[in-house]
Amino acid sequence: MGVAVARLPARPLALAGLAVVAVLSTPGIHDPRSITYTAALGSERAVAAPAAWLRENVQPNDVLYPYSSVFLAALPEAGEARGLPRAQVQSLLAALDRVDYPSGDLYVAVPAGTTKTGPVTGGRDFGSWLLIRVEGPFADRAAVLAAAERSLASAQAQLEPPVPAALAGWFELNRSVLCESLVKLGSGCGTE
């Protein structure tokens, strides 16, 4: 786009227009690289207990959302489940195409950090991480996405203030991508 603008005869006007578009469009674009909140929660100490619990419980054909250091630490057992990416609708839907339906249980990893949470249905609090297990089977992609979105909504509602802006952003990004994915599948977001 920059090359095209540079070749226009009225460059100053075109550059001003490009700047306006850039300023107005950035708040609506989620860049997963900008959400680095979970990086600090990937230490061996932070992931040891939730990874051990997951290794004991995860089964082939279960679904893990979203990719996290807890799931990596739970290898090799977690490798039999299907991991789902976050932050991009197209990637998420493509990964769901590789799940065998009906799928098994769904595990959702929430990077709580030092934020305290109240009771979450199916949730297990490990301090830095909250793992939520939603019993399957799930019939299709929409059912998995809806369960993940409900889990995140429930966990977010149970956060005790003050909630760090980075954690609030993590929830906003994940829930918006789940909702966009559900809409692409013709389902509503936040409904059963």
Side-chain angles (χ1 to χ4, degrees):
M1 212 167 134
V3 172
V5 169
R7 292 183 179 180
L8 290 174
R11 266 190 252 170
L13 183 58
L15 287 174
L18 181 62
V20 168
V21 169
V23 168
L24 294 177
S25 66
T26 55
I29 298 172
H30 295 293
D31 184 352
R33 295 169 296 183
S34 68
I35 308 278
T36 58
Y37 180 74
T38 60
L41 303 175
S43 71
E44 186 176 338
R45 181 177 176 203
V47 299
W53 180 82
L54 185 63
R55 278 192 298 272
E56 291 174 11
N57 290 284
V58 71
Q59 298 293 315
N61 207 36
D62 283 346
V63 179
L64 310 174
Y65 178 82
Y67 289 147
S68 78
S69 52
V70 170
F71 298 149
L72 292 174
L75 291 171
E77 289 84 350
E80 297 298 319
R82 297 288 181 235
L84 301 179
R86 65 181 178 93
Q88 294 181 354
V89 173
Q90 185 177 6
S91 299
L92 179 56
L93 292 175
L96 283 164
D97 284 340
R98 293 188 292 274
V99 174
D100 294 326
Y101 297 100
S103 72
D105 295 345
L106 169 68
Y107 291 88
V108 179
V110 177
T114 58
T115 306
K116 301 294 180 207
T117 61
V120 176
T121 303
R124 185 124 179 189
D125 189 349
F126 291 95
S128 295
W129 290 92
L130 171 67
L131 289 186
I132 303 168
R133 180 183 187 178
V134 184
E135 290 187 25
F138 297 98
D140 55 25
R141 298 183 304 172
V144 171
L145 291 172
E149 201 283 324
R150 282 191 307 272
S151 296
L152 289 182
S154 175
Q156 189 174 19
Q158 293 299 319
L159 295 177
E160 296 178 11
V163 176
L167 179 56
W170 183 90
F171 273 103
E172 179 185 338
L173 173 64
N174 281 284
R175 290 189 64 200
S176 69
V177 168
L178 289 168
C179 284
E180 287 177 45
S181 299
L182 280 163
V183 168
K184 277 212 180 255
L185 294 177
S187 295
C189 185
T191 58
E192 297 266 337

